Amino acid sequence: MSVPPPPKQLPSHYDPTATAQKWYAHWLRQGFFRAQPNAQKEPYTIVMPPPNITGRLHMGHVLNLTLQDVLIRRARMQGKESCWVPGLDHASIATEAKLVAMLREQGIDKKDLTREEFLAHAWQWKDKYTHIITAQLQKLGLSCDWERLRFTMEPNLSSSVQDLFVRLYDQGYIYQGVRMINWDPVARTALSDDEVVYKPLETQLYHIAYSLVDSDQQVVIATTRPETLLGDTAICVHPDDSRYQHLHGKQAWVPMVHRAIPIIPDTYVDPAFGTGCLKVTPAHDGHDYALGQKHNLAVIDIFNEDATLSQAAGHFVGEDRFVAREKMVQQLRAQGRLVHTATHTSHVGFSERTHAIIEPRISRQWFVRMQAWVQPALEHVLSGTIQFHPPKLKNRYRTWLENIQDWCISRQLWWGQRIPAFYLPDGTVVVAQDRAAALAKAQKQYPDLTAADITQDPDVLDTWFSSWLWPISVFDGWQDPHNAAINYFYPTDVLVTAPEIIFFWVARMIMAGYAFRQTYPFKHVYFTGIVRDHLGRKMSKSLGNSPDPIDLIDQYGADATRVGMLFSAPAGQDLLFDSQHCAQGRNFGQKLWHAFRLVQSWSIADNPDEAVDHRLARQWFTARLHQALAEVDAHFESFRISEALLTIYKLIWDAFCAYYLEMVKPAYGQPVARATYEATIHFLATILKMLHPFMPFITEELWHHLAERSASGCILVAPWPQAATYDSQLLWAAQGAFALITQIRNRSTQQPGAHRQERVLYSTQPIPAWLQPWTTYVKKLAHITQITVADTLPAQKIPLDVQGHPFFLSAPHVLDHAQERKHLAQQLAYYEGFLATITKKLNNPRFQQQAPQAVVALEQKKQADVMHKIACLQQQLDHC
């Protein structure tokens, strides 16, 4: 089956929506995205960071996924067996929170459902959003191998995760313990330290008076959380603080609850903070918990799971913690216990998923010992075996690994992979893959046990505990560690992700790779930046500053949206996005479309004498094309994807459209030489190949207008063009000619009526050898009638300078000399300022000693070039 033949002439307007639908369906039918182990080809593998099944894609997804698609499309064109594995993440906390909210809107409370009923709703949600998200991914043009689509909670992947839990438990890496953990009172679950985001929060520092037991004296403590005094079990002071040494060993009454608590000395207390007296609430602060353990203090938990006050608080039972705080302050003030308040800024922990303020809480949870896996994960990143782009993120990575804590992996949720731990009637824990395996283990010691006698742990595993196996499990490398796919496609080549999950995910995948397959999971990690609006604010739904990517695609097209995201997206740096970038991408596509229409409209002269040959223009663009190819390849090798796009953009917009086509375009009604036409078609083909990874749809459409193709003859699988050596001297000469054209155009537009005059370009010196071959093109593109050498110059003239050679452009009969001198003086002032900046840098001894020699040489060249420019401008002023 072949594709429908294209019409002879392109339509005047490009329809991005119809084009995208046509070609994406064709690519799927042809199976171009499928990848299989192939011993004759080099593999190239990317595993998609799986989007959460919590709703629609956002702008960060568009940036991340477009970068991956650019990389995989280019690799495919390079002849590699390119495998891009798509996926979706069950996202336990985020999905359950959204699901609970949705059910609440329907009048359903989670607590009124059984676990099975709740999970039935969750799987319906998953099925709905799987369809929505995959449709959005395809609309963006992503060339994933859709037959490899994986979901983190599908049976095989869940089985792998539970099997890993059992193995690590048996090896002593996983343990259960009572610890002070981070508690999310909205999701009602434990969080790991990495899931807590600390933000500065302006609050109040409350100074509260505690009466001493058997004394009329008082001691004043300072706290930002007065409601927690209901759980106080001690007051602590620094042993060397002379203000309180007389209180060591005494007791004080906790206000309102009238509980006597000891005053203890400990060097942990900072005498300079507040009053130097610290209230100790072991159940609700990590440091207080450590003090409680050290001094054998009582632990009183005053909060319920939802951060309302519990019966143990004795006051404000059932009230929200912040409501209770306000009521506590009112009562303390009424009792004369509130001495005074002061504004204070604290760093408060927030849940990374629900954005709720975290409550420290003592809880029995499951943990993973991480220390044993740190060394290889750190060593291979620092040595460059795994390369970070940008490299500066290695420092953040190293800091985290060098201070790693045990990983809390249990979550008090229903949606997720359930922990494979089972409890016997006497409380004994049996860890096994499933209930049957657990019963078999238990019956070795308790033969009379039945399945009804054992109870599975109600908690689920942290989502990241499944995600850290992602590059392995998507190829079934855990269940079948030697299968053909894992052996061929693993390790993968590139991971494209965001810096904020460098600890949650990247570091743990690296650990898993070395721990479970003895090698790295990927060779490169490309970190994207945060997508921000034009004011620098992070895009979010709450601010209302984030457009819906699908709306952008509907308005501008997928190609324009893709390049709009990449026009200013350097690795690791935030992207200031504006929808005008998409408009720029749309205009770029239209520019290419109309350039193609122009070429299509040409008639061809088979007789060489019937048309201008334009050999020089062809030679120049050939050199310029290969120069751009070399730059693009270098950018890709260094993961400068945005720079690669900009190089292609300038090649097409400036070099091809603004100069090459204008040079070779025949006069109206005249033919073009066949050699020029065929060269132009070749240039177009190469340009389309270079642009295809970035703008796949328009390039595929134009590719099929260049020549009749078979169904399999798509640009998507066309070979990536190879850079060849090029004539740099020719490019230098052309650069000078174009600079001259630009100067003539710019100065002509500044002179009223100049376009109606016959304009001549004069030189008092012989025309430079480099310019002589270009004079025909200079006259054509700058719209001048003659270039001549003359001893005598006209009175009305505009001085120009190109590559050190002075020229003079004839001006209208009435030339504003004052305006001209003002213009030259402004330019002179600018370059003199620029020279002063460069000279100051070069005269700095630290710069000379510390900067690389190549950088110093570049600054010296800049200095020489600017000095020459100043001399030329001064000469022009003398002639004006």
PDB file of all heavy atoms in Angstrom, residues 45 140 147 162 220 247-248 280-281 458 478 482 548 568 592 594 610 644 689 738 784 797 845:
ATOM      1  N   THR A  45      17.750   3.327  23.607  1.00  0.00           N
ATOM      2  CA  THR A  45      16.588   3.110  24.464  1.00  0.00           C
ATOM      3  C   THR A  45      16.323   4.289  25.389  1.00  0.00           C
ATOM      4  O   THR A  45      17.250   4.826  26.000  1.00  0.00           O
ATOM      5  CB  THR A  45      16.796   1.856  25.345  1.00  0.00           C
ATOM      6  OG1 THR A  45      17.303   0.800  24.543  1.00  0.00           O
ATOM      7  CG2 THR A  45      15.504   1.429  26.004  1.00  0.00           C
ATOM      8  N   LEU A 140       0.471  14.940  20.701  1.00  0.00           N
ATOM      9  CA  LEU A 140       1.729  15.685  20.693  1.00  0.00           C
ATOM     10  C   LEU A 140       2.714  15.125  19.670  1.00  0.00           C
ATOM     11  O   LEU A 140       3.723  15.748  19.366  1.00  0.00           O
ATOM     12  CB  LEU A 140       2.347  15.657  22.102  1.00  0.00           C
ATOM     13  CG  LEU A 140       3.555  16.538  22.389  1.00  0.00           C
ATOM     14  CD1 LEU A 140       3.253  18.017  22.133  1.00  0.00           C
ATOM     15  CD2 LEU A 140       4.015  16.344  23.834  1.00  0.00           C
ATOM     16  N   GLU A 147       3.034  -0.703  21.845  1.00  0.00           N
ATOM     17  CA  GLU A 147       2.825  -2.097  22.225  1.00  0.00           C
ATOM     18  C   GLU A 147       3.559  -2.436  23.517  1.00  0.00           C
ATOM     19  O   GLU A 147       3.317  -3.469  24.137  1.00  0.00           O
ATOM     20  CB  GLU A 147       3.274  -3.021  21.097  1.00  0.00           C
ATOM     21  CG  GLU A 147       2.420  -2.882  19.832  1.00  0.00           C
ATOM     22  CD  GLU A 147       2.866  -3.821  18.732  1.00  0.00           C
ATOM     23  OE1 GLU A 147       3.746  -4.677  18.988  1.00  0.00           O
ATOM     24  OE2 GLU A 147       2.334  -3.705  17.610  1.00  0.00           O
ATOM     25  N   GLN A 162       6.670  -6.775  44.729  1.00  0.00           N
ATOM     26  CA  GLN A 162       6.443  -7.552  45.947  1.00  0.00           C
ATOM     27  C   GLN A 162       7.528  -8.613  46.135  1.00  0.00           C
ATOM     28  O   GLN A 162       7.954  -8.882  47.257  1.00  0.00           O
ATOM     29  CB  GLN A 162       5.045  -8.167  45.890  1.00  0.00           C
ATOM     30  CG  GLN A 162       3.961  -7.112  46.068  1.00  0.00           C
ATOM     31  CD  GLN A 162       2.597  -7.554  45.596  1.00  0.00           C
ATOM     32  OE1 GLN A 162       2.473  -8.437  44.748  1.00  0.00           O
ATOM     33  NE2 GLN A 162       1.557  -6.945  46.134  1.00  0.00           N
ATOM     34  N   VAL A 220       9.395  30.948  81.513  1.00  0.00           N
ATOM     35  CA  VAL A 220       8.739  31.292  80.243  1.00  0.00           C
ATOM     36  C   VAL A 220       9.420  30.539  79.091  1.00  0.00           C
ATOM     37  O   VAL A 220      10.651  30.570  78.942  1.00  0.00           O
ATOM     38  CB  VAL A 220       8.794  32.814  79.982  1.00  0.00           C
ATOM     39  CG1 VAL A 220       8.157  33.149  78.621  1.00  0.00           C
ATOM     40  CG2 VAL A 220       8.073  33.567  81.105  1.00  0.00           C
ATOM     41  N   LEU A 247      17.250  25.789  88.246  1.00  0.00           N
ATOM     42  CA  LEU A 247      16.017  25.038  88.009  1.00  0.00           C
ATOM     43  C   LEU A 247      16.263  23.560  87.708  1.00  0.00           C
ATOM     44  O   LEU A 247      15.304  22.792  87.607  1.00  0.00           O
ATOM     45  CB  LEU A 247      15.239  25.663  86.837  1.00  0.00           C
ATOM     46  CG  LEU A 247      14.766  27.102  87.031  1.00  0.00           C
ATOM     47  CD1 LEU A 247      14.042  27.582  85.788  1.00  0.00           C
ATOM     48  CD2 LEU A 247      13.851  27.208  88.258  1.00  0.00           C
ATOM     49  N   HIS A 248      17.542  23.169  87.552  1.00  0.00           N
ATOM     50  CA  HIS A 248      17.825  21.772  87.226  1.00  0.00           C
ATOM     51  C   HIS A 248      17.212  20.854  88.275  1.00  0.00           C
ATOM     52  O   HIS A 248      17.402  21.030  89.483  1.00  0.00           O
ATOM     53  CB  HIS A 248      19.340  21.523  87.168  1.00  0.00           C
ATOM     54  CG  HIS A 248      20.030  22.276  86.066  1.00  0.00           C
ATOM     55  ND1 HIS A 248      21.375  22.184  85.825  1.00  0.00           N
ATOM     56  CD2 HIS A 248      19.556  23.137  85.129  1.00  0.00           C
ATOM     57  CE1 HIS A 248      21.702  22.962  84.815  1.00  0.00           C
ATOM     58  NE2 HIS A 248      20.608  23.548  84.378  1.00  0.00           N
ATOM     59  N   VAL A 280       9.334  20.264  75.681  1.00  0.00           N
ATOM     60  CA  VAL A 280       9.637  18.989  75.033  1.00  0.00           C
ATOM     61  C   VAL A 280       8.350  18.199  74.867  1.00  0.00           C
ATOM     62  O   VAL A 280       7.696  17.844  75.857  1.00  0.00           O
ATOM     63  CB  VAL A 280      10.665  18.179  75.849  1.00  0.00           C
ATOM     64  CG1 VAL A 280      11.022  16.892  75.105  1.00  0.00           C
ATOM     65  CG2 VAL A 280      11.923  19.004  76.118  1.00  0.00           C
ATOM     66  N   THR A 281       7.999  17.945  73.593  1.00  0.00           N
ATOM     67  CA  THR A 281       6.788  17.184  73.250  1.00  0.00           C
ATOM     68  C   THR A 281       7.227  16.002  72.403  1.00  0.00           C
ATOM     69  O   THR A 281       7.220  16.062  71.169  1.00  0.00           O
ATOM     70  CB  THR A 281       5.794  18.072  72.464  1.00  0.00           C
ATOM     71  OG1 THR A 281       5.681  19.338  73.106  1.00  0.00           O
ATOM     72  CG2 THR A 281       4.432  17.415  72.367  1.00  0.00           C
ATOM     73  N   PRO A 458      -2.237  -3.861  56.124  1.00  0.00           N
ATOM     74  CA  PRO A 458      -3.170  -3.043  55.337  1.00  0.00           C
ATOM     75  C   PRO A 458      -2.484  -1.980  54.478  1.00  0.00           C
ATOM     76  O   PRO A 458      -3.109  -1.415  53.584  1.00  0.00           O
ATOM     77  CB  PRO A 458      -4.056  -2.386  56.401  1.00  0.00           C
ATOM     78  CG  PRO A 458      -3.164  -2.312  57.606  1.00  0.00           C
ATOM     79  CD  PRO A 458      -2.311  -3.550  57.557  1.00  0.00           C
ATOM     80  N   TRP A 478      12.974  -8.264  35.879  1.00  0.00           N
ATOM     81  CA  TRP A 478      12.971  -8.829  37.228  1.00  0.00           C
ATOM     82  C   TRP A 478      12.404 -10.242  37.203  1.00  0.00           C
ATOM     83  O   TRP A 478      12.985 -11.163  37.773  1.00  0.00           O
ATOM     84  CB  TRP A 478      12.161  -7.945  38.178  1.00  0.00           C
ATOM     85  CG  TRP A 478      12.292  -8.386  39.601  1.00  0.00           C
ATOM     86  CD1 TRP A 478      11.471  -9.227  40.280  1.00  0.00           C
ATOM     87  CD2 TRP A 478      13.349  -8.048  40.503  1.00  0.00           C
ATOM     88  NE1 TRP A 478      11.933  -9.431  41.563  1.00  0.00           N
ATOM     89  CE2 TRP A 478      13.096  -8.713  41.726  1.00  0.00           C
ATOM     90  CE3 TRP A 478      14.479  -7.245  40.405  1.00  0.00           C
ATOM     91  CZ2 TRP A 478      13.925  -8.584  42.819  1.00  0.00           C
ATOM     92  CZ3 TRP A 478      15.307  -7.120  41.501  1.00  0.00           C
ATOM     93  CH2 TRP A 478      15.030  -7.784  42.689  1.00  0.00           C
ATOM     94  N   HIS A 482      16.984 -12.744  32.075  1.00  0.00           N
ATOM     95  CA  HIS A 482      17.856 -12.982  30.917  1.00  0.00           C
ATOM     96  C   HIS A 482      17.072 -12.987  29.612  1.00  0.00           C
ATOM     97  O   HIS A 482      17.528 -13.551  28.614  1.00  0.00           O
ATOM     98  CB  HIS A 482      18.610 -14.309  31.084  1.00  0.00           C
ATOM     99  CG  HIS A 482      19.422 -14.375  32.345  1.00  0.00           C
ATOM    100  ND1 HIS A 482      20.504 -13.549  32.573  1.00  0.00           N
ATOM    101  CD2 HIS A 482      19.279 -15.143  33.461  1.00  0.00           C
ATOM    102  CE1 HIS A 482      21.014 -13.827  33.774  1.00  0.00           C
ATOM    103  NE2 HIS A 482      20.295 -14.785  34.328  1.00  0.00           N
ATOM    104  N   ASP A 548      -3.461  25.008  28.944  1.00  0.00           N
ATOM    105  CA  ASP A 548      -3.667  23.583  28.705  1.00  0.00           C
ATOM    106  C   ASP A 548      -2.916  23.226  27.424  1.00  0.00           C
ATOM    107  O   ASP A 548      -3.166  23.815  26.370  1.00  0.00           O
ATOM    108  CB  ASP A 548      -5.158  23.298  28.544  1.00  0.00           C
ATOM    109  CG  ASP A 548      -5.453  21.809  28.442  1.00  0.00           C
ATOM    110  OD1 ASP A 548      -4.646  21.082  27.828  1.00  0.00           O
ATOM    111  OD2 ASP A 548      -6.487  21.370  28.966  1.00  0.00           O
ATOM    112  N   SER A 568      13.604  28.037  24.065  1.00  0.00           N
ATOM    113  CA  SER A 568      14.445  28.568  25.152  1.00  0.00           C
ATOM    114  C   SER A 568      14.420  27.609  26.330  1.00  0.00           C
ATOM    115  O   SER A 568      13.959  27.953  27.407  1.00  0.00           O
ATOM    116  CB  SER A 568      13.944  29.942  25.587  1.00  0.00           C
ATOM    117  OG  SER A 568      12.572  29.900  25.902  1.00  0.00           O
ATOM    118  N   LEU A 592       8.456  27.868   6.119  1.00  0.00           N
ATOM    119  CA  LEU A 592       8.949  26.706   5.386  1.00  0.00           C
ATOM    120  C   LEU A 592       7.930  26.280   4.319  1.00  0.00           C
ATOM    121  O   LEU A 592       8.289  25.930   3.194  1.00  0.00           O
ATOM    122  CB  LEU A 592       9.230  25.566   6.368  1.00  0.00           C
ATOM    123  CG  LEU A 592       9.817  24.279   5.796  1.00  0.00           C
ATOM    124  CD1 LEU A 592      11.154  24.545   5.119  1.00  0.00           C
ATOM    125  CD2 LEU A 592       9.977  23.243   6.903  1.00  0.00           C
ATOM    126  N   HIS A 594       5.697  28.112   2.728  1.00  0.00           N
ATOM    127  CA  HIS A 594       5.674  29.045   1.600  1.00  0.00           C
ATOM    128  C   HIS A 594       6.963  28.974   0.787  1.00  0.00           C
ATOM    129  O   HIS A 594       6.935  29.190  -0.440  1.00  0.00           O
ATOM    130  CB  HIS A 594       5.415  30.463   2.098  1.00  0.00           C
ATOM    131  CG  HIS A 594       4.022  30.655   2.632  1.00  0.00           C
ATOM    132  ND1 HIS A 594       2.906  30.388   1.883  1.00  0.00           N
ATOM    133  CD2 HIS A 594       3.570  31.066   3.850  1.00  0.00           C
ATOM    134  CE1 HIS A 594       1.816  30.626   2.598  1.00  0.00           C
ATOM    135  NE2 HIS A 594       2.196  31.029   3.807  1.00  0.00           N
ATOM    136  N   GLU A 610      19.510  28.811 -21.011  1.00  0.00           N
ATOM    137  CA  GLU A 610      18.236  29.503 -20.848  1.00  0.00           C
ATOM    138  C   GLU A 610      18.055  30.111 -19.460  1.00  0.00           C
ATOM    139  O   GLU A 610      17.092  30.851 -19.242  1.00  0.00           O
ATOM    140  CB  GLU A 610      17.076  28.530 -21.117  1.00  0.00           C
ATOM    141  CG  GLU A 610      16.994  28.069 -22.560  1.00  0.00           C
ATOM    142  CD  GLU A 610      15.853  27.094 -22.748  1.00  0.00           C
ATOM    143  OE1 GLU A 610      15.112  26.845 -21.762  1.00  0.00           O
ATOM    144  OE2 GLU A 610      15.700  26.581 -23.868  1.00  0.00           O
ATOM    145  N   ALA A 644      20.475  23.101  19.276  1.00  0.00           N
ATOM    146  CA  ALA A 644      20.370  22.406  17.986  1.00  0.00           C
ATOM    147  C   ALA A 644      19.179  22.933  17.196  1.00  0.00           C
ATOM    148  O   ALA A 644      19.272  23.166  15.978  1.00  0.00           O
ATOM    149  CB  ALA A 644      20.233  20.896  18.214  1.00  0.00           C
ATOM    150  N   LYS A 689      14.994  16.685   6.864  1.00  0.00           N
ATOM    151  CA  LYS A 689      15.510  15.628   7.739  1.00  0.00           C
ATOM    152  C   LYS A 689      16.021  16.211   9.057  1.00  0.00           C
ATOM    153  O   LYS A 689      15.774  15.666  10.132  1.00  0.00           O
ATOM    154  CB  LYS A 689      16.637  14.863   7.046  1.00  0.00           C
ATOM    155  CG  LYS A 689      16.200  13.992   5.886  1.00  0.00           C
ATOM    156  CD  LYS A 689      17.420  13.304   5.279  1.00  0.00           C
ATOM    157  CE  LYS A 689      17.081  12.498   4.047  1.00  0.00           C
ATOM    158  NZ  LYS A 689      18.282  11.866   3.451  1.00  0.00           N
ATOM    159  N   PHE A 738      26.745  39.367   2.914  1.00  0.00           N
ATOM    160  CA  PHE A 738      25.433  39.520   3.551  1.00  0.00           C
ATOM    161  C   PHE A 738      25.434  40.683   4.542  1.00  0.00           C
ATOM    162  O   PHE A 738      24.418  41.372   4.703  1.00  0.00           O
ATOM    163  CB  PHE A 738      25.023  38.228   4.253  1.00  0.00           C
ATOM    164  CG  PHE A 738      24.907  37.043   3.328  1.00  0.00           C
ATOM    165  CD1 PHE A 738      25.158  35.752   3.774  1.00  0.00           C
ATOM    166  CD2 PHE A 738      24.569  37.219   1.990  1.00  0.00           C
ATOM    167  CE1 PHE A 738      25.056  34.670   2.930  1.00  0.00           C
ATOM    168  CE2 PHE A 738      24.457  36.129   1.133  1.00  0.00           C
ATOM    169  CZ  PHE A 738      24.708  34.849   1.604  1.00  0.00           C
ATOM    170  N   ILE A 784      20.613  47.721  -5.474  1.00  0.00           N
ATOM    171  CA  ILE A 784      21.462  48.817  -5.951  1.00  0.00           C
ATOM    172  C   ILE A 784      21.785  48.560  -7.422  1.00  0.00           C
ATOM    173  O   ILE A 784      21.772  47.419  -7.896  1.00  0.00           O
ATOM    174  CB  ILE A 784      22.751  48.955  -5.118  1.00  0.00           C
ATOM    175  CG1 ILE A 784      23.569  47.660  -5.140  1.00  0.00           C
ATOM    176  CG2 ILE A 784      22.436  49.353  -3.684  1.00  0.00           C
ATOM    177  CD1 ILE A 784      24.896  47.785  -4.436  1.00  0.00           C
ATOM    178  N   LYS A 797      26.381  61.078   0.532  1.00  0.00           N
ATOM    179  CA  LYS A 797      26.791  59.674   0.638  1.00  0.00           C
ATOM    180  C   LYS A 797      26.655  59.187   2.077  1.00  0.00           C
ATOM    181  O   LYS A 797      26.716  59.970   3.022  1.00  0.00           O
ATOM    182  CB  LYS A 797      28.225  59.499   0.163  1.00  0.00           C
ATOM    183  CG  LYS A 797      29.229  60.316   0.966  1.00  0.00           C
ATOM    184  CD  LYS A 797      30.610  60.262   0.354  1.00  0.00           C
ATOM    185  CE  LYS A 797      31.600  61.111   1.167  1.00  0.00           C
ATOM    186  NZ  LYS A 797      31.252  62.538   1.165  1.00  0.00           N
ATOM    187  N   PRO A 845      44.254  40.558  36.617  1.00  0.00           N
ATOM    188  CA  PRO A 845      45.206  39.440  36.764  1.00  0.00           C
ATOM    189  C   PRO A 845      44.522  38.107  37.055  1.00  0.00           C
ATOM    190  O   PRO A 845      44.968  37.061  36.578  1.00  0.00           O
ATOM    191  CB  PRO A 845      46.082  39.886  37.949  1.00  0.00           C
ATOM    192  CG  PRO A 845      45.923  41.373  38.001  1.00  0.00           C
ATOM    193  CD  PRO A 845      44.528  41.660  37.545  1.00  0.00           C
TER     194      PRO A 845
END
